[in-house]
Amino acid sequence: MSMLIRTCRRGLASLYLSTRTGAALTVALSLGASACASVIGEHEVETKFLVKPTSQSTFSGWSELSVSEDPNSVDRAELMYIRLEARDNNVPDLTFLKRVSAAAVVDGESTVVAKKAPMPAGERIVPLERVYHDDIRHFFYKDDESGDYTVHVDWEGEVDRTKTIPAEGVWMKVLVAVRIE
């Protein structure tokens, strides 16, 4: 099952994403592997995004991930976890992020799959709270233009402007795990 990741960014403020950014949250909803037989099991995907200081405190954006095969060719797909980590060793914790959430969108209907607020003090690695526990295959829709099956994720958050962020920003690593049955 080959994948194509399309990431778009739309900075409403403090978060700027790399070309792979939203992919982490989106890949949490994907089936990522090359064939159905090999897709069964637990899979982790890593991506990153850059948080830069600006005059605004909110951020939002969206991402899409496409697979060439019908997600219904497997019995079940489930989000296991999404974990954030500061890649910059000079950042003591993630409290410069007040909150973050990820929502899968199908036919205009949004379903929050993971979120976190507030970030714990002293922790450089923070798991998001998984709020969606059901099968994630139905988040994929048939893209008539490409023929692929695509999942669209909207995400948003808020940066604590009272915290100091280096002028060059802070690179965040996102680790996502899914279980395919």
Side-chain angles (χ1 to χ4, degrees), residues 17-166:
L17 298 177
S18 72
T19 55
R20 294 175 35 191
T21 301
L25 300 179
T26 305
V27 170
L29 306 177
S30 75
L31 302 177
S34 60
C36 290
S38 63
V39 78
I40 294 174
E42 296 178 2
H43 303 275
E44 287 187 341
V45 177
E46 180 182 317
T47 191
K48 64 182 180 177
F49 64 85
L50 179 63
V51 177
K52 290 188 80 168
T54 70
S55 62
Q56 299 176 352
S57 63
T58 60
F59 62 86
S60 69
W62 59 272
S63 298
E64 290 183 337
L65 178 128
S66 296
V67 294
S68 61
E69 294 180 30
D70 186 346
N72 293 307
S73 64
V74 297
D75 292 332
R76 180 172 170 81
E78 146 183 63
L79 174 64
M80 293 172 52
Y81 62 82
I82 299 174
R83 187 176 78 198
L84 300 178
E85 177 180 351
R87 294 183 58 152
D88 184 342
N89 290 331
N90 296 328
V91 177
D93 59 26
L94 304 185
T95 57
F96 63 92
L97 297 175
K98 282 186 169 181
R99 65 177 175 82
V100 64
S101 68
V105 180
V106 179
D107 294 330
E109 186 175 326
S110 181
T111 303
V112 175
V113 295
K115 64 183 181 176
K116 183 70 174 181
M119 297 295 172
E123 298 293 326
R124 290 180 41 78
I125 300 172
V126 177
L128 298 184
E129 296 166 8
R130 188 171 56 110
V131 296
Y132 187 84
H133 300 279
D134 293 330
D135 194 330
I136 60 176
R137 294 175 301 155
H138 72 278
F139 291 131
F140 287 86
Y141 61 89
K142 179 87 174 196
D143 184 339
D144 294 329
E145 187 175 309
S146 68
D148 292 333
Y149 296 85
T150 300
V151 63
H152 178 99
V153 174
D154 284 342
W155 34 269
E156 65 159 8
E158 186 176 1
V159 174
D160 184 346
R161 292 184 1 184
T162 66
K163 304 290 183 179
T164 302
I165 300 174

